[in-house]
Amino acid sequence: YASLAACSFLNGAFAPSERRQTIDEANSAHWTGHYFYGNCTYFEFMEPGATTWRPIDGVAFGVDEEGSGPIVCKQLGDTTGLEIMSYLRTRQDKDGDIPWFDMIEYSRPDTTGLISWVMAYYARFLERWEPQLPPASAGCRRKDVLDRYRARLGWNGKSALFGDITELTVALVEEQGALFRRELSAYGYRISETTTGYSANGPDISIHVDTSISENKVGIQQFTLALNRPKSGAGVYRYGSSCELSFKDDLTAVWKFF
């Protein structure tokens, strides 16, 4: 975490970024992380010891249409057979807590290798949080929210290298992989078998799940990124002994975690 947060390249040309402490008084929750914002997707690296829960690898999904949260909640419950929780996350602002998004998730054991949830942004969040900044539209699309985040950091109209996440590879034990498969099906992902597990293809991203790996290697393995423009200079960046970001010649990059 420290090497990522301190890297001048990641916090400069790579992406709009910030270290942010978030306080959600309504749910007695707080967390601190380092964020790298793309066009419709972003990275969140949690600061160890600075959250109200045990931080593990996670994937957040989103909906772009107002009122979609309850529909997704029902689909997820019907497909997984589990009890689904839906509750409002708030974000502290100078005028108090602002409704931010509905958090849709289900309980998992502490030993799970991956957590996942759905974020359904509150329709009026952008009307109340930094409303003087672009975009002028105040919808609930992921892109609108990330446009506002980037504008707040002075990146309005500027082009960073990081465009979006297009592929994700995770490793899960067989039981957890089977549950994640049902979850992805509930979201409309098209599932196909692979030699080591399965792939799930959605409208914006493909998720590859390896269920053949040993239990001590579970979690996120790598991301594939689409770039907004070509990368010049160094092609490989290493952070500690377990993280490598490499840039390719085809406007993509791969971020691996060992």
Side-chain angles (χ1 to χ4, degrees):
Y1 173 87
S3 59
L4 292 171
C7 178
S8 58
F9 165 69
L10 288 179
N11 292 288
F14 177 69
S17 66
E18 65 175 333
R19 180 184 182 272
R20 188 182 83 209
Q21 181 187 45
T22 307
I23 298 174
D24 175 7
E25 288 189 350
N27 295 290
S28 301
H30 66 81
W31 60 95
T32 300
H34 210 89
Y35 297 78
F36 301 99
Y37 299 123
N39 301 322
C40 295
T41 54
Y42 65 94
F43 290 101
E44 176 182 32
F45 293 95
M46 307 301 289
E47 183 174 322
T51 68
T52 48
W53 63 88
R54 181 178 70 90
I56 58 176
D57 291 357
V59 179
F61 298 89
V63 295
D64 282 348
E65 295 182 11
E66 184 178 352
S68 295
I71 298 172
V72 170
C73 192
K74 183 179 186 307
Q75 288 178 180
L76 185 57
D78 291 345
T79 305
T80 62
L82 298 174
E83 180 180 353
I84 308 302
M85 299 174 287
S86 178
Y87 54 93
L88 178 66
R89 279 275 191 218
T90 62
R91 180 164 177 169
Q92 194 175 75
D93 193 53
K94 60 182 180 298
D95 297 322
D97 272 15
I98 295 176
W100 190 8
F101 61 86
D102 283 331
M103 179 99 166
I104 301 168
E105 62 177 348
Y106 52 87
S107 296
R108 295 172 175 80
D110 291 338
T111 55
T112 189
L114 183 79
I115 60 173
S116 54
W117 63 96
V118 176
M119 299 169 64
Y121 286 106
Y122 182 60
R124 296 187 60 197
F125 169 64
L126 292 182
E127 292 180 11
R128 300 182 58 183
W129 185 79
E130 304 286 358
Q132 76 280 3
L133 295 174
S137 61
C140 57
R141 299 186 309 163
R142 293 167 297 152
K143 185 180 186 308
D144 293 336
V145 174
L146 288 175
D147 281 349
R148 180 70 54 85
Y149 289 176
R150 290 195 302 271
R152 183 172 178 267
L153 296 171
W155 278 78
N156 184 41
K158 297 180 182 179
S159 176
L161 280 167
F162 173 39
D164 273 310
I165 301 166
T166 59
E167 292 186 60
L168 165 67
T169 300
V170 300
L172 296 171
V173 297
E174 191 169 346
E175 182 180 359
Q176 293 172 6
L179 177 57
F180 192 43
R181 179 178 183 142
R182 296 199 299 275
E183 178 179 351
L184 293 169
S185 295
Y187 303 151
Y189 280 70
R190 302 184 306 278
I191 310 293
S192 59
E193 306 298 328
T194 66
T195 56
T196 57
Y198 60 88
S199 289
N201 296 307
D204 303 313
I205 190 170
S206 294
I207 300 175
H208 311 292
V209 181
D210 184 349
T211 56
S212 67
I213 203 161
S214 61
E215 189 166 0
N216 63 343
K217 294 184 179 296
V218 296
I220 293 174
Q221 306 295 298
Q222 73 174 42
F223 298 94
T224 300
L225 319 179
L227 303 180
N228 289 320
R229 53 185 172 82
K231 167 74 170 66
S232 59
V236 179
Y237 295 79
R238 293 185 175 86
Y239 305 97
S241 60
S242 59
C243 181
E244 178 184 281
L245 175 60
S246 58
F247 291 86
K248 312 301 181 183
D249 295 329
D250 58 353
L251 286 178
T252 66
V254 175
W255 206 335
K256 293 183 178 181
F257 300 87
F258 307 110

